[in-house]
Amino acid sequence: MAPDGNGGIWTQLKVAGIADQMNERGIKYIHVFSIDNALVRPADPVFIGYCIGENADVGNKVLWKVNASEKVGVTAEINGKPCIVEYSDMDKELCEKVDDTGKLVFGAGNICNHFFTLDFVVEKILPNLGNMFHIARKKIPALDDDTGETVKPESNNGMKLESFIFDVFPLAKRMAILDVVREEEFAPVKNAPGSPTDSPDTACVMMSNLAKKQMQHAGFELTGDVDSTECGISPLTTYAGEDLEDLDGVTGEEDWGRNIFNLFCGSPKKTVLCPFQL
């Protein structure tokens, strides 16, 4: 869908006239995030407010790497300019470097969750689109002239020009970085169902665990099959766990206009039976 890399979004903003439309509608800020994160918070007021308060051109949400070998790019500076350095471009020594407390120096993992001001996009990004491509070595299927069949190579056999959304970071004069909690904001879906990591199954577990955590934070005691992975809270009910206290006394039979299923917190109050779907 994006053969030139996800940085192709910037070209389309210009070609399709979307940047002009945003300006006409009075839009000042843009929140860009990857679609494969089941726990992403669109238009996160905390993140956007933080970036605005820091007067930042660009903002980046990060998660600290769980270990030095985690395969994720990191937020860093090169020659005083912010950037993302891919893990494949870092040697073992840099990846494992720690500070006096034992914390990874290059540990601010990039999760493709960014803030941009429209002024920065229009004044800095769009005029510099031609300077943001880099060479990416890929396994590119090719035609076998002898057999007429498509060959899928096992190693890199070609090069293509790509750009990434974060390639524009060095153009920023001021960047804000927000370190967030992995269990609350990052459930990637990159692998097939049944895979042990980053799959629809693991994302469902993380969403369920967050729902239970939010109910407990709101003062509810979880009963029943607490270990069930079938618990969930609709974004129509709460954005990030707020206002769940209002559920006190509501039963599964009562329609209060918010898509509630299997919720029991009437006897005793402040108790919810798992599994639940709100």
Side-chain angles (χ1 to χ4, degrees):
M1 293 180 66
D4 56 351
N6 57 25
I9 185 177
W10 304 123
T11 302
Q12 293 307 310
L13 284 180
K14 183 176 182 178
V15 173
I18 298 174
D20 291 334
Q21 295 176 23
M22 289 181 173
N23 185 55
E24 292 172 358
R25 296 171 62 184
I27 294 174
K28 295 183 178 180
Y29 311 107
I30 305 172
H31 185 201
V32 182
F33 49 85
S34 175
I35 62 172
D36 61 4
N37 179 8
L39 289 180
V40 71
R41 296 179 179 178
D44 180 5
V46 174
F47 180 44
I48 294 176
Y50 171 67
C51 293
I52 294 173
E54 292 294 309
N55 195 30
D57 302 315
V58 172
N60 193 29
K61 276 191 181 185
V62 302
L63 296 173
W64 220 258
K65 293 173 61 173
V66 293
N67 54 56
S69 61
E70 184 176 9
K71 295 181 178 181
V72 60
V74 297
T75 306
E77 281 189 358
I78 295 180
N79 297 325
K81 295 182 178 181
C83 64
I84 299 297
V85 180
E86 291 296 339
Y87 68 89
S88 56
D89 294 330
M90 299 174 63
D91 58 31
K92 187 172 184 292
E93 182 179 358
L94 278 179
C95 289
E96 296 180 350
K97 186 176 182 179
V98 297
D99 60 20
D100 294 338
T101 66
K103 186 177 183 180
L104 290 173
V105 172
F106 298 104
N110 176 50
I111 58 173
C112 194
N113 198 319
H114 314 310
F115 162 95
F116 301 94
T117 66
L118 184 59
D119 286 343
F120 176 71
V121 171
V122 173
E123 297 171 8
K124 296 295 183 180
I125 298 179
L126 300 188
N128 290 284
L129 291 176
N131 301 322
M132 296 182 190
F133 288 99
H134 52 263
I135 293 176
R137 291 169 174 80
K138 299 285 186 177
K139 299 175 184 177
I140 303 176
L143 178 68
D144 187 319
D145 291 335
D146 296 329
T147 65
E149 297 180 351
T150 299
V151 178
K152 295 183 179 180
E154 297 181 358
S155 60
N156 295 337
N157 67 328
M159 297 183 293
K160 58 184 290 192
L161 292 178
E162 284 188 343
S163 65
F164 297 115
I165 290 176
F166 53 72
D167 285 339
V168 304
F169 284 5
L171 299 175
K173 291 184 177 180
R174 189 173 176 84
M175 182 175 182
I177 299 174
L178 184 64
D179 188 6
V180 297
V181 179
R182 181 183 299 262
E183 293 76 15
E184 296 181 359
E185 298 206 34
F186 191 53
V189 180
K190 300 179 182 292
N191 301 320
S195 300
T197 60
D198 298 349
S199 69
D201 310 280
T202 58
C204 285
V205 171
M206 293 186 70
M207 294 174 68
S208 175
N209 289 342
L210 179 59
K212 289 181 281 190
K213 178 181 177 181
Q214 289 174 339
M215 291 300 290
Q216 289 173 320
H217 183 73
F220 288 86
E221 177 185 355
L222 302 183
T223 64
D225 186 7
V226 179
D227 293 329
S228 170
T229 60
E230 300 177 5
C231 301
I233 303 178
S234 166
L236 298 178
T237 301
T238 183
Y239 180 82
E242 68 284 344
D243 299 330
L244 290 177
E245 295 83 357
D246 296 343
L247 296 176
D248 188 19
V250 178
T251 70
E253 301 298 324
E254 182 176 345
D255 178 10
W256 59 298
R258 286 196 187 182
N259 191 25
I260 295 184
F261 305 96
N262 302 330
L263 175 65
F264 301 87
C265 50
S267 179
K269 286 187 177 181
K270 304 298 284 186
T271 299
V272 61
L273 178 65
C274 295
F276 62 82
Q277 295 291 330
L278 286 76

